[in-house]
């Protein structure tokens, strides 16, 4: 949705390679989230952050890492420890004071070569 | 742990027929949100329900939140081809849990 960008749209990873997915928002939202979506499946939470320089593991954090050095940015690194990284990765942000609505970025499709 | 179950997983309807998807939570929710994801797209927020027994309408879409705040439904009246996509509920307790979604396919 408007205000959240993800890049690249498609990403190819070689075996043993770390790759970083970008997520930027200009909505001044405090909270940001990373989800993984597999074909025909729902969204599973990887990591989330509610404040700069702080983040928490979600349900499937193994093989992933994040950072939150700026309020606007929440990059996700898919490490070589993630053995099945092929999926659609969605970033979302949210205004914690207003609760509820998460605004999603357009997503990044990661494929393993 | 907190779980959100959504049924059915798939639904095929003739254009003009009604459609309903249901969500059930293992815990009492503070709110529930509904999202629509078009094929190849990303989830887009539809609505949030907060109050026990709440009912909200958006044109042909009717959303309900159960009295116990553990279940919810989305009903679409007279489906159109533009309704095609996957509908997700997301229940919030101490964290947000998404249902697996209901994929709606419209037969012309």
């Amino acid at each position: 949705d408007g205000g959240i960008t993800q890049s690249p749209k498609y990403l190819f990873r070689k075996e043993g390679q770390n790759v970083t997915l970008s997520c930027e928002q200009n909505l001044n939202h405090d909270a940001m989230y990373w989800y993984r979506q597999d074909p025909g499946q729902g969204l599973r939470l990887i990591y989330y952050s509610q404040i700069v320089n702080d983040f928490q593991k979600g349900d499937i954090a193994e093989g992933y890492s994040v950072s939150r050095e700026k309020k606007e940015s929440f990059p996700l690194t898919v490490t070589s420890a993630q053995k099945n990284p092929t999926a659609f990765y969605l970033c979302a942000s949210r205004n914690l004071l207003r609760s509820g609505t998460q605004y999603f970025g357009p997503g990044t499709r990661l494929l393993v070569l | 742990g907190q779980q959100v179950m959504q049924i059915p997983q798939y639904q095929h309807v003739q254009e003009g027929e009604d459609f309903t998807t249901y969500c059930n939570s293992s815990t009492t929710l503070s709110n529930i949100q509904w999202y629509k994801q078009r094929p190849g797209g990303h989830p887009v927020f539809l609505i949030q329900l907060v109050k026990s027994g709440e009912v909200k309408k958006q044109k042909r879409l009717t959303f309900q939140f159960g009295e116990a705040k553990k279940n919810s439904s989305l009903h679409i009246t007279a489906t159109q081809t533009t309704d095609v996509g996957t509908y997700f509920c997301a229940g919030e307790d101490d964290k947000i849990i998404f249902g697996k979604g209901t994929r709606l396919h419209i037969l012309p």
Side-chain angles (χ1 to χ4, degrees):
Chain A
D1 268 345
I4 300 183
T5 58
Q6 288 185 244
S7 63
K9 187 173 182 179
Y10 296 95
L11 186 59
F12 299 91
R13 193 191 91 165
K14 295 181 180 179
E15 292 287 340
Q17 186 180 44
N18 292 355
V19 291
T20 298
L21 284 59
S22 168
C23 178
E24 304 279 335
Q25 55 99 0
N26 61 4
L27 300 168
N28 198 33
H29 286 170
D30 293 303
M32 298 187 73
Y33 305 81
W34 274 106
Y35 294 93
R36 170 180 172 143
Q37 186 175 36
D38 293 283
Q41 299 297 313
L43 282 68
R44 292 185 291 170
L45 182 64
I46 304 172
Y47 268 98
Y48 66 101
S49 168
Q50 295 184 322
I51 194 170
V52 174
N53 292 322
D54 188 44
F55 47 83
Q56 286 77 42
K57 293 182 179 180
D59 300 317
I60 55 166
E62 187 174 352
Y64 300 97
S65 66
V66 293
S67 63
R68 188 86 186 276
E69 297 178 0
K70 299 186 301 181
K71 188 176 186 178
E72 302 80 15
S73 179
F74 192 40
L76 173 74
T77 297
V78 184
T79 74
S80 57
Q82 173 50 246
K83 299 305 179 186
N84 184 24
T86 296
F88 187 41
Y89 290 87
L90 288 158
C91 178
S93 72
R94 178 185 182 196
N95 184 330
L96 289 177
L97 290 179
R98 293 185 179 181
S99 73
T101 312
Q102 291 188 68
Y103 294 88
F104 284 85
T108 293
R109 294 191 185 275
L110 176 61
L111 299 170
V112 177
L113 298 177
Chain B
Q2 180 189 357
Q3 293 184 5
V4 174
M5 305 298 292
Q6 187 173 357
I7 59 170
Q9 188 175 0
Y10 302 97
Q11 185 79 57
H12 294 76
V13 299
Q14 292 281 350
E15 187 175 6
E17 291 183 340
D18 294 355
F19 159 77
T20 305
T21 174
Y22 302 89
C23 271
N24 286 286
S25 170
S26 58
T27 61
T28 301
L29 302 170
S30 60
N31 69 77
I32 193 161
Q33 303 136 46
W34 285 91
Y35 295 81
K36 176 182 179 181
Q37 184 176 23
R38 293 182 182 274
H42 59 277
V44 174
F45 174 77
L46 294 176
I47 208 160
Q48 177 179 272
L49 304 171
V50 179
K51 299 177 182 177
S52 170
E54 188 169 16
V55 178
K56 287 188 176 180
K57 292 189 175 183
Q58 291 179 349
K59 297 183 180 178
R60 295 178 294 104
L61 278 61
T62 301
F63 304 84
Q64 293 186 320
F65 201 11
E67 294 290 341
K69 300 184 73 174
K70 297 180 73 172
N71 58 74
S72 181
S73 65
L74 158 58
H75 180 82
I76 302 178
T77 304
T79 54
Q80 300 174 0
T81 55
T82 54
D83 295 326
V84 165
T86 302
Y87 293 84
F88 292 97
C89 63
E92 183 168 11
D93 185 1
D94 58 339
K95 57 182 178 180
I96 298 174
I97 302 292
F98 278 80
K100 291 190 175 182
T102 297
R103 186 179 297 179
L104 174 62
H105 182 67
I106 308 290
L107 303 171

